[in-house]
Amino acid sequence: MKRALPGTETVKAAIDTVLAEAAARGRRPTVTAIERLLDIPHATFHRRYADLIDVHFRPRIPALARPATPTEPSGSDVRTEANLSRLRKGNTDLRRTLALYEEAIRQLAIENDALRSGGTVLPLPSRSTPAPPGPS
């Protein structure tokens, strides 16, 4: 048995309640808080009340306070940036290694297929080995 969904005025009252509670606690109001207050699943709430979210809720969300002047990076910010830089370099190295392995696997798969089908295998020069001189 399906339960009845609340009416527009009930949802507006819930939105007002969530906005007031968030302002009192110094937090940002969320649609999830409205859904919990009304005990409505997320998909159902968005399907039925999307217009109320756009018209009655979002325009009333206070803007985030931004610092007036940029702050100097603290010691932990510098360490965080250094750590991120190290991780990015590691990811780049791993991507290069992965590309090499993919190429090796591709070549082995071609050789395996040729051997199983009775064909002849021509060794391909690797990137690090120069190609043998050919007829000029």
Side-chain angles (χ1 to χ4, degrees), residues 28-100:
R28 189 161 175 84
T30 63
V31 173
T32 305
I34 301 165
E35 295 165 353
R36 285 186 189 137
L37 183 65
L38 296 170
D39 194 30
I40 298 175
H42 179 74
T44 303
F45 187 80
H46 276 276
R47 186 173 52 247
R48 298 294 215 140
Y49 304 108
D51 57 328
L52 289 178
I53 294 169
D54 293 335
V55 174
H56 193 73
F57 178 69
R58 285 195 179 121
R60 298 172 58 195
I61 296 174
L64 291 175
R66 293 194 174 112
T69 58
T71 59
E72 290 295 319
S74 65
S76 64
D77 289 343
V78 172
R79 280 183 299 210
T80 301
E81 287 300 319
N83 193 31
L84 285 173
S85 177
R86 181 184 58 79
L87 290 172
R88 286 185 185 115
K89 184 182 180 315
N91 281 344
T92 301
D93 293 343
L94 288 172
R95 284 188 190 101
R96 287 184 187 138
T97 304
L98 181 63
L100 292 173

Side-chain angles (χ1 to χ4, degrees), residues 104-121:
I105 290 171
R106 186 188 67 77
Q107 288 179 2
L108 287 171
I110 291 170
E111 290 175 12
N112 185 29
D113 186 49
L115 287 172
R116 289 182 187 267
S117 64
T120 58
V121 176

